[in-house]
Amino acid sequence: MRALTHADFLSLWEKGRGLHPLDQGLLAIHAAFPEARETVADWPLGQRNRALAELHCSYFGHALEGWTSCPQCGEKLEFNMDGRALAEQPQSQHAEPIVIHGQSFRLPASRDLARAALERGAAADPDAAAVRLLRACRVDGGDDAGQTWSEEELEEAGEKMAAADPLAEIVLNFQCPVCEAACHESLDLPTFLWAELEALARRLVMDVHALASAYGWSEREILALSDTRRRLYLEMVSA
Ligand SMILES: [Zn+2]
């Protein structure tokens, strides 16, 4: 992984502002792993998630902390996951196509998800979106245009895909301490990482503003300061 400076993070944030979270995740990987620029959109999602977790561990700490709301009573349910458990998990070496009902499929990648997100109605009908995703990943060249998938078949397909690429979806399980409802939620790593990156970028811009106003230094000079020195100067400015 390439070492990213504060200036790199600021320009990454600027480039990714307003993009779809999928693209923000890919941009972050481009910046940290430039050698993967051409291929990352075709990586299985587990490989993408591992790279994002590695980035998080290096720059934002090992703890992936956040919260969700209990779907039943609205109680705030917090989670704290160790990002190293994701970053250090070996890449699944699943080179074989996944066979479901005699048809062969490869693992879905970011490019497939982006295409599925672009198609109308994807959000309205999750089953139709799953079928489109399966079609996009079919590798045996068969024609399935008229084929229908039952809910059970889709579930089986999902389970086989998950077994072949366990990090593709990171599922968090919760039990509400108030109403005891059990629920689960997927952790979307691109969104999660981008929120951290955005917070960092905003902090940096405010620091630049404060120090440039006080000392007349350029943005480049201020971003080149170590965290310790920047904080010390900021303390003096606000004293
Ligand atoms: Zn609850």
Side-chain angles (χ1 to χ4, degrees):
M1 184 168 37
R2 187 169 81 91
L4 295 172
T5 63
H6 284 147
D8 291 331
F9 275 113
L10 259 191
S11 68
L12 174 58
W13 171 64
E14 200 176 9
K15 237 190 266 174
R17 278 185 82 191
L19 293 185
H20 190 283
L22 268 171
D23 294 318
Q24 293 176 332
L26 294 183
L27 264 187
I29 296 177
H30 287 169
F33 305 88
E35 71 283 1
R37 184 175 287 270
E38 302 298 325
T39 56
V40 63
D42 298 308
W43 283 1
L45 296 174
Q47 191 178 352
R48 176 204 69 174
N49 282 344
R50 185 174 314 92
L52 291 172
E54 201 181 327
L55 229 164
H56 193 286
C57 288
S58 298
Y59 293 101
F60 303 104
H62 296 149
L64 308 180
E65 292 173 303
W67 62 275
T68 185
S69 299
C70 172
Q72 200 148 294
C73 73
E75 174 74 6
K76 187 172 173 181
L77 305 174
E78 292 180 348
F79 65 85
N80 186 342
M81 192 178 186
D82 190 338
R84 285 171 297 186
L86 305 174
E88 290 165 10
Q89 206 170 111
Q91 165 65 25
S92 84
Q93 296 299 323
H94 202 92
E96 297 291 305
I98 300 145
V99 179
I100 305 161
H101 293 284
Q103 303 173 9
S104 305
F105 300 88
R106 62 172 169 76
L107 292 171
S110 303
R111 195 187 297 282
D112 304 311
L113 289 189
R115 206 173 287 146
L118 274 179
E119 290 181 36
R120 271 172 198 283
D125 183 355
D127 280 357
V131 170
R132 269 200 297 272
L133 193 58
L134 272 174
R135 278 197 189 127
C137 297
R138 188 158 176 195
V139 289
D140 56 17
D143 178 20
D144 61 355
Q147 188 192 346
T148 52
W149 290 77
S150 69
E151 216 164 287
E152 293 73 41
E153 287 170 333
L154 281 179
E155 204 166 300
E156 189 196 329
E159 278 166 14
K160 284 195 173 170
M161 293 282 192
D165 191 17
L167 279 192
E169 190 180 11
I170 299 154
V171 180
L172 303 167
N173 293 303
F174 299 94
Q175 175 140 35
C176 177
V178 175
C179 73
E180 294 188 346
C183 67
H184 59 266
E185 189 121 336
S186 292
L187 175 64
D188 186 57
L189 271 187
T191 304
F192 190 86
L193 182 84
W194 199 264
E196 302 264 24
L197 205 147
E198 167 130 20
L200 170 67
R202 288 188 181 280
R203 267 198 317 274
L204 288 172
V205 168
M206 283 195 287
D207 292 355
V208 168
H209 171 71
L211 294 180
S213 304
Y215 298 111
W217 297 337
S218 71
E219 183 191 66
R220 202 154 57 108
E221 287 168 328
I222 296 166
L223 291 178
L225 292 171
S226 68
D227 281 336
T228 313
R229 283 202 206 179
R230 210 173 63 248
R231 214 169 303 126
L232 281 173
Y233 284 119
L234 282 167
E235 276 172 24
M236 284 187 270
V237 167
S238 57

